[in-house]
């Protein structure tokens, strides 16, 4: 975790997985695979819809241990197969309509839209994946996002075994 960095603009998390770049890419681009790891520890993902093309939309759901569903949506801005995915990220309702964070009881100054960039680097039998989540405010929300992403990536590592 020493390589991680949070400032008022970008949360950056590099992670090395013991899996091929093709498999890590599939974990991000195949809805069935993504549902195995999306969301923090003890959360599940009951649904994941994506139209994986530039301009295509996605709608992801993560379910908390107490059964509350949290939706996120956005648009794919760049897809460079096996190398990079760039997409917008917003809270949403179950129909994919963008909603403020307050819809889920979150306080504070979270922007309606943020940007996520995920890069994939082939290291032979391993893959270096780097996530950059831009627009994340500093402070508690950034810290919670960092924790959530890291717990999700722990689940991703398990799903790749």
């Amino acid at each position: 975790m020493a390589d991680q960095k949070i400032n008022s603009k970008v949360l950056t998390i590099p992670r090395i997985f013991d899996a091929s770049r093709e498999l890590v890419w599939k974990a991000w681009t195949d809805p069935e695979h993504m549902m195995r790891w999306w969301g923090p520890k003890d959360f599940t993902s009951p649904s994941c819809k994506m139209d994986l093309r530039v301009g295509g939309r996605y709608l992801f759901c993560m379910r908390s241990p107490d059964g509350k569903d949290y939706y996120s949506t956005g648009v794919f801005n760049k897809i460079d197969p096996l190398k990079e995915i760039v997409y917008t990220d917003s809270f949403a309702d179950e129909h994919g309509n963008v909603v403020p964070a307050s819809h889920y009881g979150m306080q504070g100054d979270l922007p309606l839209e943020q940007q996520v960039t995920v890069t994939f680097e082939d290291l032979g039998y391993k893959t270096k994946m780097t996530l950059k989540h831009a627009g994340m405010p500093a402070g508690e929300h950034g810290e919670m996002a960092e924790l959530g992403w890291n717990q999700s990536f722990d689940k991703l590592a398990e799903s790749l075994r």
Side-chain angles (χ1 to χ4, degrees), residues 34-127:
M34 194 166 209
M35 289 169 58
R36 296 180 204 154
W37 66 268
W38 186 257
K41 181 182 178 197
D42 298 326
F43 279 65
T44 60
S45 179
S47 69
C48 175
K49 299 174 186 171
M50 67 173 75
D51 179 9
L52 188 67
R53 61 183 174 84
V54 173
R57 299 190 64 81
Y58 70 87
L59 180 63
F60 302 154
C61 177
M62 61 182 184
R63 182 168 290 153
S64 70
D66 65 0
K68 184 173 182 177
D69 288 343
Y70 296 84
Y71 290 87
S72 60
T73 192
V75 175
F76 293 104
N77 292 325
K78 180 179 180 183
I79 299 169
D80 187 355
L82 302 177
K83 294 181 183 172
E84 184 177 44
I85 301 171
V86 180
Y87 62 92
T88 61
D89 183 46
S90 300
F91 286 107
D93 64 18
E94 66 274 13
H95 304 292
N97 300 305
V98 173
V99 298
S102 60
H103 178 82
Y104 292 109
M106 297 177 196
Q107 305 301 316
D109 194 22
L110 280 165
L112 278 178
E113 182 178 280
Q114 298 169 47
Q115 181 170 286
V116 175
T117 301
V118 186
T119 58
F120 306 83
E121 183 182 345
D122 188 349
L123 301 178
Y125 295 107
K126 297 177 186 259
T127 301

